[in-house]
Amino acid sequence: DTAGNLNSSSIFFSINLSKGHDIDKHEFDGDSTDFSSINRTLLQNLSNVKIEKLDRGKIEFIENINISRDINISKYINISFNKIDMQSEFLDMFNKSATLKIYNLTFTNPRILFNDQACPSSVCTKNSYSNGILSFNVTHFTTYSSEETSSSGSSGSSSSGGGSGSSGGGKADLSDFSINTNLIKVSLLQGETKIE
């Protein structure tokens, strides 16, 4: 200093390299990956990522994920009863193949739904169903759920008489279709429509 004395000071600090990859521990628990304990370098090629809600379901990613970008993961993933939903437009780095498990189901023979429609085999592959846990693989993310498979077992290729016309839009791919009504009678005039 100006008096000719030698002085020194020390400053201690820490850097949280994973800040911004929040996963709310009140929202997800169980076997969920703790992103706060992983440094940013490892987050660029992270394997075995899991997100779980103990009484509802679990996502286990098959592919490695690059989550070097700051994001609140809990805001865009919802695991609720019989539903796993991810807003992949906000979590594009998570839009990868994964194994999903839906817990506490009471179905006899559940089928997988993709946005409330029967999930095509090109997207969903059923692994198992045991003790109320449905396990299946998916190729990408949207909203997945399940329902009881109908007892009729027919898969969309059969047709019934009494109607004519064509859909024209190529959307004739129905599977496991059933009706719980014995008779439906509808009278229509030409050009009139009715939904029953």
Side-chain angles (χ1 to χ4, degrees):
D1 60 16
T2 55
N5 298 319
L6 181 63
N7 296 301
S8 66
S9 298
S10 296
I11 299 173
F12 298 95
F13 61 93
S14 63
I15 300 171
N16 183 351
L17 293 175
S18 63
K19 187 176 180 186
H21 302 91
D22 296 331
I23 188 159
D24 186 350
K25 282 296 185 182
H26 299 290
E27 181 70 25
F28 301 111
D29 46 32
D31 203 18
S32 296
T33 302
D34 182 7
F35 296 103
S36 65
S37 67
I38 302 169
N39 72 42
R40 190 172 293 276
T41 304
L42 293 176
L43 286 171
Q44 293 177 13
N45 192 27
L46 195 58
S47 61
N48 299 316
V49 173
K50 298 173 186 170
I51 299 173
E52 182 176 28
K53 193 162 188 177
L54 276 176
D55 59 339
R56 300 298 182 206
K58 183 177 187 179
I59 303 169
E60 298 178 46
F61 290 92
I62 296 168
E63 298 178 64
N64 289 3
I65 297 173
N66 179 347
I67 51 172
S68 54
R69 187 175 87 210
D70 291 347
I71 192 95
N72 183 341
I73 296 163
S74 302
K75 185 176 179 181
Y76 302 111
I77 296 176
N78 177 33
I79 301 176
S80 55
F81 177 70
N82 193 21
K83 183 189 250 183
I84 296 178
D85 175 54
M86 180 189 298
Q87 296 178 36
S88 56
E89 64 270 22
F90 299 107
L91 293 176
D92 58 329
M93 70 291 277
F94 281 85
N95 199 11
K96 307 266 188 174
S97 59
T99 298
L100 305 186
K101 294 180 181 177
I102 300 177
Y103 303 158
N104 297 318
L105 298 177
T106 57
F107 301 126
T108 302
N109 182 22
R111 74 172 178 165
I112 305 159
L113 299 179
F114 171 91
N115 294 328
D116 296 324
Q117 301 293 320
C119 191
S121 60
S122 60
V123 176
C124 300
T125 305
K126 187 175 179 179
N127 297 326
S128 64
Y129 179 63
S130 177
N131 298 320
I133 299 174
L134 174 62
S135 172
F136 56 99
N137 288 355
V138 298
T139 58
H140 64 279
F141 272 89
T142 185
T143 300
Y144 293 98
S145 58
S146 65
E147 69 180 5
E148 185 67 69
T149 301
S150 70
S151 60
S152 66
S154 63
S155 59
S157 59
S158 63
S159 62
S160 59
S164 64
S166 64
S167 62
K171 191 177 178 179
D173 188 30
L174 295 174
S175 63
D176 297 324
F177 182 81
S178 67
I179 299 175
N180 62 1
T181 307
N182 291 330
L183 177 66
I184 297 176
K185 273 190 171 181
V186 178
S187 297
L188 295 173
L189 298 173
Q190 185 175 1
E192 190 177 62
T193 61
K194 197 178 261 190
I195 297 173
E196 288 288 334

